[in-house]
Amino acid sequence: MRPSGRNLAQMRPISIETGVMRHAEGSCLIKCGDTHVLCTATIEDNPPRFLKGTGLGWVTAEYGMLPRATNTRNRREAAQGKQSGRTQEIQRLIGRSLRAGIDRSALGERQISIDCDVIQADGGTRCASITGGWVALRLAVNKLLAGRAITSDPILDHVAAVSCGIYAGQPLLDLDYAEDSEAGTDGNFVLTGGGRLIEVQMSAEGATFSRGEMGQLLDLAEAGMADLVAAQKAAIG
C-alpha cells in the first residue's frame, strides 16, 4: 500500500485552471495532488542574440519555489544572490522539453519565456512545471495565431512529464514527496502526446535497478501521459 492509499498505477488528482494572470499572454495554475505550480508565458518580439537573422524562435524557462512551498522556509534565491544548481538544472530541463514540441521556424524570430513558480511542493514539481508550462505556451501561441502574428501553428504536439519510481520494491506512478524521498529508484519521464520520448532522468537512490524495471517505469509513465494530456486538452478547450 502506498502512503497516499493510491494504487500503484494511479495518478494524483490533476487540475489546470487557465487565465489566472491578467497580464501574461498565457497562464495557468496546475495542481497535481498537493503540488501546485503557477505557470506563465510571456511573448517577446526579440529573440536571443545568437538567433538574430536565422528566422528561428526560442522557448526558454525560469523556475523557482516560494519560501514556504515546503515544510520549512527556504530563503529566496534572489536574496542569496545566485540560483542553486538544482534550480538551474530544472529550468533548463523545462526549456529543453518545451522546445522539443515546437517548430521554431514557424514561431519566427521571437522568444516565449515560461515562468514556473512553485506555490506548494509535494514531489514532482519539475514534471508539473513542464505539463503546466506547455498549457501556458499553448495559450500564448493561440494569441499569436489569433492576432495573425504567425501564419502556421508552431506547436507540434502536447508535451508533459511525470515521475515514476521504485518504492518498497514496487514500481509506482506519480510519486509524491513521501514516496520520492524513500524511493530506491527515481525517474522523470518527459514525453509527447504521441508517446515519443523527449527526456528520461533516472537514478538509483541507494538501490540499483534493472533494465526490466526501467521498462516497467516507462510503461507507467506512458499510461500516466494519457491523464496529463487529457487534463491539458480540457484546460485549453
Side-chain angles (χ1 to χ4, degrees):
M1 180 66 70
R2 303 176 69 167
S4 63
R6 287 182 285 146
N7 295 329
L8 300 181
Q10 185 178 358
M11 295 281 290
R12 290 175 288 182
I14 307 163
S15 70
I16 306 176
E17 178 185 358
T18 60
V20 294
M21 296 293 283
R22 176 182 178 184
H23 300 293
E25 282 78 32
S27 68
C28 74
L29 175 62
I30 181 169
K31 297 181 179 180
C32 299
D34 285 330
T35 289
H36 303 169
V37 184
L38 177 64
C39 304
T40 60
T42 301
I43 300 171
E44 300 168 282
D45 289 332
N46 294 319
R49 203 174 284 179
F50 66 88
L51 288 177
K52 290 282 188 181
T54 65
L56 300 175
W58 192 249
V59 175
T60 189
E62 292 189 15
Y63 167 96
M65 296 182 71
L66 295 186
R68 280 316 303 266
T70 59
N71 60 354
T72 57
R73 184 182 188 275
N74 297 304
R75 289 190 65 200
R76 296 180 190 273
E77 292 185 336
Q80 300 178 59
K82 64 177 182 179
Q83 290 181 315
S84 69
R86 176 183 181 274
T87 294
Q88 294 180 51
E89 184 263 324
I90 290 175
Q91 61 191 27
R92 288 169 183 159
L93 168 66
I94 298 167
R96 286 195 304 272
S97 299
L98 296 178
R99 285 194 298 273
I102 65 165
D103 176 354
R104 291 168 52 209
S105 61
L107 184 60
E109 285 195 29
R110 58 178 49 85
Q111 175 171 282
I112 301 181
S113 298
I114 307 298
D115 288 292
C116 302
D117 293 287
V118 180
I119 298 172
Q120 183 171 280
D122 186 36
T125 60
R126 71 186 67 196
C127 293
S129 296
I130 293 168
T131 303
W134 184 90
V135 172
L137 175 63
R138 172 76 270 177
L139 295 171
V141 167
N142 286 351
K143 287 199 172 184
L144 289 173
L145 289 166
R148 304 194 179 210
I150 54 177
T151 56
S152 61
D153 189 355
I155 293 185
L156 303 172
D157 202 350
H158 289 255
V159 174
V162 67
S163 65
C164 299
I166 298 176
Y167 172 85
Q170 296 290 327
L172 305 183
L173 173 63
D174 190 21
L175 306 180
D176 56 30
Y177 178 76
E179 296 161 342
D180 182 58
S181 62
E182 297 292 335
T185 299
D186 182 27
N188 298 297
F189 297 82
V190 188
L191 295 94
T192 69
R196 302 284 293 178
L197 287 166
I198 295 174
E199 188 153 342
V200 176
Q201 300 178 327
M202 287 193 67
S203 60
E205 301 286 348
T208 59
F209 57 93
S210 68
R211 183 170 180 173
E213 287 170 327
M214 183 172 67
Q216 288 180 307
L217 296 184
L218 178 56
D219 289 343
L220 286 173
E222 290 176 337
M225 277 295 295
D227 289 347
L228 294 171
V229 170
Q232 288 177 330
K233 288 181 176 178
I236 61 177

mmCIF file of all heavy atoms in Angstrom, residues 8-11 162-165 170-174 189 214-225:
data_model
loop_
_atom_site.group_PDB
_atom_site.id
_atom_site.type_symbol
_atom_site.label_atom_id
_atom_site.label_comp_id
_atom_site.label_asym_id
_atom_site.label_seq_id
_atom_site.Cartn_x
_atom_site.Cartn_y
_atom_site.Cartn_z
ATOM 1 N N LEU A 8 -0.874 1.372 -7.379
ATOM 2 C CA LEU A 8 0.483 1.527 -7.882
ATOM 3 C C LEU A 8 0.516 2.361 -9.161
ATOM 4 O O LEU A 8 1.459 3.132 -9.368
ATOM 5 C CB LEU A 8 1.111 0.159 -8.152
ATOM 6 C CG LEU A 8 1.237 -0.800 -6.962
ATOM 7 C CD1 LEU A 8 1.907 -2.088 -7.405
ATOM 8 C CD2 LEU A 8 2.002 -0.156 -5.813
ATOM 9 N N ALA A 9 -0.493 2.226 -10.016
ATOM 10 C CA ALA A 9 -0.522 2.914 -11.305
ATOM 11 C C ALA A 9 -1.525 4.054 -11.326
ATOM 12 O O ALA A 9 -2.034 4.424 -12.388
ATOM 13 C CB ALA A 9 -0.839 1.921 -12.421
ATOM 14 N N GLN A 10 -1.793 4.649 -10.175
ATOM 15 C CA GLN A 10 -2.798 5.715 -10.084
ATOM 16 C C GLN A 10 -2.137 7.076 -9.948
ATOM 17 O O GLN A 10 -1.280 7.288 -9.088
ATOM 18 C CB GLN A 10 -3.725 5.472 -8.888
ATOM 19 C CG GLN A 10 -4.867 6.464 -8.777
ATOM 20 C CD GLN A 10 -5.774 6.134 -7.600
ATOM 21 O OE1 GLN A 10 -5.583 5.145 -6.891
ATOM 22 N NE2 GLN A 10 -6.771 6.972 -7.389
ATOM 23 N N MET A 11 -2.549 8.010 -10.807
ATOM 24 C CA MET A 11 -2.073 9.384 -10.726
ATOM 25 C C MET A 11 -2.757 10.121 -9.577
ATOM 26 O O MET A 11 -3.853 9.763 -9.132
ATOM 27 C CB MET A 11 -2.389 10.125 -12.033
ATOM 28 C CG MET A 11 -1.662 9.601 -13.251
ATOM 29 S SD MET A 11 0.050 10.160 -13.377
ATOM 30 C CE MET A 11 -0.186 11.891 -13.759
ATOM 31 N N VAL A 162 5.998 13.183 -16.093
ATOM 32 C CA VAL A 162 5.528 12.515 -14.880
ATOM 33 C C VAL A 162 6.699 11.774 -14.231
ATOM 34 O O VAL A 162 7.626 11.345 -14.922
ATOM 35 C CB VAL A 162 4.378 11.534 -15.197
ATOM 36 C CG1 VAL A 162 4.859 10.356 -16.035
ATOM 37 C CG2 VAL A 162 3.676 11.065 -13.932
ATOM 38 N N SER A 163 6.645 11.672 -12.916
ATOM 39 C CA SER A 163 7.684 10.927 -12.200
ATOM 40 C C SER A 163 7.212 9.499 -11.941
ATOM 41 O O SER A 163 6.012 9.252 -11.761
ATOM 42 C CB SER A 163 8.021 11.612 -10.872
ATOM 43 O OG SER A 163 6.903 11.582 -10.001
ATOM 44 N N CYS A 164 8.155 8.597 -11.934
ATOM 45 C CA CYS A 164 7.895 7.198 -11.585
ATOM 46 C C CYS A 164 9.078 6.714 -10.752
ATOM 47 O O CYS A 164 10.183 7.252 -10.863
ATOM 48 C CB CYS A 164 7.750 6.315 -12.827
ATOM 49 S SG CYS A 164 6.394 6.764 -13.918
ATOM 50 N N GLY A 165 8.868 5.701 -9.950
ATOM 51 C CA GLY A 165 9.965 5.202 -9.150
ATOM 52 C C GLY A 165 9.666 3.853 -8.538
ATOM 53 O O GLY A 165 8.542 3.346 -8.648
ATOM 54 N N GLN A 170 8.283 -1.840 -5.223
ATOM 55 C CA GLN A 170 7.186 -1.805 -6.189
ATOM 56 C C GLN A 170 7.333 -0.601 -7.128
ATOM 57 O O GLN A 170 7.671 0.502 -6.672
ATOM 58 C CB GLN A 170 5.839 -1.697 -5.457
ATOM 59 C CG GLN A 170 5.491 -2.890 -4.593
ATOM 60 C CD GLN A 170 5.176 -4.125 -5.419
ATOM 61 O OE1 GLN A 170 4.641 -4.031 -6.522
ATOM 62 N NE2 GLN A 170 5.527 -5.286 -4.904
ATOM 63 N N PRO A 171 7.079 -0.785 -8.434
ATOM 64 C CA PRO A 171 7.105 0.358 -9.356
ATOM 65 C C PRO A 171 5.849 1.210 -9.175
ATOM 66 O O PRO A 171 4.729 0.689 -9.165
ATOM 67 C CB PRO A 171 7.129 -0.300 -10.742
ATOM 68 C CG PRO A 171 6.496 -1.641 -10.540
ATOM 69 C CD PRO A 171 6.813 -2.060 -9.142
ATOM 70 N N LEU A 172 6.044 2.525 -9.004
ATOM 71 C CA LEU A 172 4.926 3.434 -8.737
ATOM 72 C C LEU A 172 4.874 4.542 -9.784
ATOM 73 O O LEU A 172 5.895 4.996 -10.286
ATOM 74 C CB LEU A 172 5.064 4.092 -7.355
ATOM 75 C CG LEU A 172 5.224 3.220 -6.117
ATOM 76 C CD1 LEU A 172 5.256 4.109 -4.882
ATOM 77 C CD2 LEU A 172 4.111 2.196 -6.021
ATOM 78 N N LEU A 173 3.659 5.000 -10.053
ATOM 79 C CA LEU A 173 3.432 6.130 -10.950
ATOM 80 C C LEU A 173 3.160 7.379 -10.132
ATOM 81 O O LEU A 173 2.432 7.339 -9.140
ATOM 82 C CB LEU A 173 2.228 5.829 -11.856
ATOM 83 C CG LEU A 173 1.715 6.956 -12.759
ATOM 84 C CD1 LEU A 173 2.782 7.372 -13.776
ATOM 85 C CD2 LEU A 173 0.426 6.530 -13.468
ATOM 86 N N ASP A 174 3.769 8.506 -10.551
ATOM 87 C CA ASP A 174 3.472 9.831 -9.999
ATOM 88 C C ASP A 174 3.760 9.900 -8.498
ATOM 89 O O ASP A 174 2.857 9.935 -7.663
ATOM 90 C CB ASP A 174 2.012 10.193 -10.285
ATOM 91 C CG ASP A 174 1.695 11.642 -9.968
ATOM 92 O OD1 ASP A 174 2.627 12.463 -9.911
ATOM 93 O OD2 ASP A 174 0.501 11.946 -9.766
ATOM 94 N N PHE A 189 10.038 11.324 -16.539
ATOM 95 C CA PHE A 189 9.845 10.997 -17.948
ATOM 96 C C PHE A 189 9.113 12.142 -18.636
ATOM 97 O O PHE A 189 8.020 12.521 -18.207
ATOM 98 C CB PHE A 189 9.028 9.707 -18.098
ATOM 99 C CG PHE A 189 9.700 8.490 -17.514
ATOM 100 C CD1 PHE A 189 9.630 8.222 -16.157
ATOM 101 C CD2 PHE A 189 10.412 7.613 -18.324
ATOM 102 C CE1 PHE A 189 10.242 7.108 -15.602
ATOM 103 C CE2 PHE A 189 11.033 6.490 -17.782
ATOM 104 C CZ PHE A 189 10.944 6.236 -16.422
ATOM 105 N N MET A 214 13.318 -0.633 -15.426
ATOM 106 C CA MET A 214 13.260 0.617 -16.185
ATOM 107 C C MET A 214 12.111 0.569 -17.188
ATOM 108 O O MET A 214 11.374 1.550 -17.365
ATOM 109 C CB MET A 214 14.582 0.875 -16.905
ATOM 110 C CG MET A 214 14.623 2.198 -17.658
ATOM 111 S SD MET A 214 16.277 2.593 -18.298
ATOM 112 C CE MET A 214 16.473 1.302 -19.535
ATOM 113 N N GLY A 215 11.922 -0.569 -17.825
ATOM 114 C CA GLY A 215 10.815 -0.732 -18.761
ATOM 115 C C GLY A 215 9.462 -0.630 -18.066
ATOM 116 O O GLY A 215 8.516 -0.050 -18.616
ATOM 117 N N GLN A 216 9.364 -1.188 -16.862
ATOM 118 C CA GLN A 216 8.111 -1.081 -16.103
ATOM 119 C C GLN A 216 7.775 0.383 -15.792
ATOM 120 O O GLN A 216 6.616 0.800 -15.891
ATOM 121 C CB GLN A 216 8.223 -1.870 -14.794
ATOM 122 C CG GLN A 216 8.207 -3.373 -14.949
ATOM 123 C CD GLN A 216 8.324 -4.059 -13.598
ATOM 124 O OE1 GLN A 216 9.235 -3.792 -12.813
ATOM 125 N NE2 GLN A 216 7.396 -4.954 -13.311
ATOM 126 N N LEU A 217 8.785 1.135 -15.425
ATOM 127 C CA LEU A 217 8.550 2.543 -15.109
ATOM 128 C C LEU A 217 8.146 3.325 -16.356
ATOM 129 O O LEU A 217 7.279 4.211 -16.293
ATOM 130 C CB LEU A 217 9.796 3.155 -14.466
ATOM 131 C CG LEU A 217 10.212 2.569 -13.116
ATOM 132 C CD1 LEU A 217 11.406 3.328 -12.554
ATOM 133 C CD2 LEU A 217 9.055 2.591 -12.117
ATOM 134 N N LEU A 218 8.756 3.009 -17.486
ATOM 135 C CA LEU A 218 8.370 3.669 -18.734
ATOM 136 C C LEU A 218 6.927 3.338 -19.104
ATOM 137 O O LEU A 218 6.172 4.202 -19.553
ATOM 138 C CB LEU A 218 9.322 3.266 -19.863
ATOM 139 C CG LEU A 218 9.008 3.851 -21.250
ATOM 140 C CD1 LEU A 218 8.954 5.365 -21.212
ATOM 141 C CD2 LEU A 218 10.059 3.374 -22.261
ATOM 142 N N ASP A 219 6.532 2.095 -18.902
ATOM 143 C CA ASP A 219 5.138 1.710 -19.163
ATOM 144 C C ASP A 219 4.179 2.524 -18.290
ATOM 145 O O ASP A 219 3.127 2.987 -18.754
ATOM 146 C CB ASP A 219 4.935 0.218 -18.888
ATOM 147 C CG ASP A 219 5.614 -0.673 -19.922
ATOM 148 O OD1 ASP A 219 5.958 -0.166 -21.007
ATOM 149 O OD2 ASP A 219 5.813 -1.869 -19.626
ATOM 150 N N LEU A 220 4.540 2.697 -17.024
ATOM 151 C CA LEU A 220 3.699 3.505 -16.132
ATOM 152 C C LEU A 220 3.638 4.952 -16.611
ATOM 153 O O LEU A 220 2.571 5.578 -16.601
ATOM 154 C CB LEU A 220 4.253 3.449 -14.705
ATOM 155 C CG LEU A 220 4.048 2.156 -13.924
ATOM 156 C CD1 LEU A 220 4.806 2.216 -12.606
ATOM 157 C CD2 LEU A 220 2.568 1.898 -13.671
ATOM 158 N N ALA A 221 4.791 5.490 -17.015
ATOM 159 C CA ALA A 221 4.831 6.875 -17.480
ATOM 160 C C ALA A 221 3.945 7.070 -18.705
ATOM 161 O O ALA A 221 3.217 8.071 -18.815
ATOM 162 C CB ALA A 221 6.268 7.278 -17.801
ATOM 163 N N GLU A 222 3.977 6.122 -19.629
ATOM 164 C CA GLU A 222 3.146 6.228 -20.822
ATOM 165 C C GLU A 222 1.663 6.201 -20.454
ATOM 166 O O GLU A 222 0.850 6.928 -21.044
ATOM 167 C CB GLU A 222 3.478 5.100 -21.793
ATOM 168 C CG GLU A 222 4.853 5.250 -22.435
ATOM 169 C CD GLU A 222 5.227 4.074 -23.318
ATOM 170 O OE1 GLU A 222 4.660 2.972 -23.115
ATOM 171 O OE2 GLU A 222 6.094 4.247 -24.199
ATOM 172 N N ALA A 223 1.313 5.388 -19.478
ATOM 173 C CA ALA A 223 -0.084 5.352 -19.029
ATOM 174 C C ALA A 223 -0.479 6.672 -18.367
ATOM 175 O O ALA A 223 -1.581 7.192 -18.590
ATOM 176 C CB ALA A 223 -0.283 4.189 -18.057
ATOM 177 N N GLY A 224 0.422 7.223 -17.558
ATOM 178 C CA GLY A 224 0.137 8.495 -16.908
ATOM 179 C C GLY A 224 -0.006 9.634 -17.883
ATOM 180 O O GLY A 224 -0.756 10.596 -17.629
ATOM 181 N N MET A 225 0.700 9.572 -19.013
ATOM 182 C CA MET A 225 0.607 10.632 -20.022
ATOM 183 C C MET A 225 -0.806 10.813 -20.531
ATOM 184 O O MET A 225 -1.216 11.929 -20.863
ATOM 185 C CB MET A 225 1.536 10.312 -21.195
ATOM 186 C CG MET A 225 2.968 10.724 -20.985
ATOM 187 S SD MET A 225 3.186 12.511 -20.844
ATOM 188 C CE MET A 225 2.685 13.039 -22.477
#
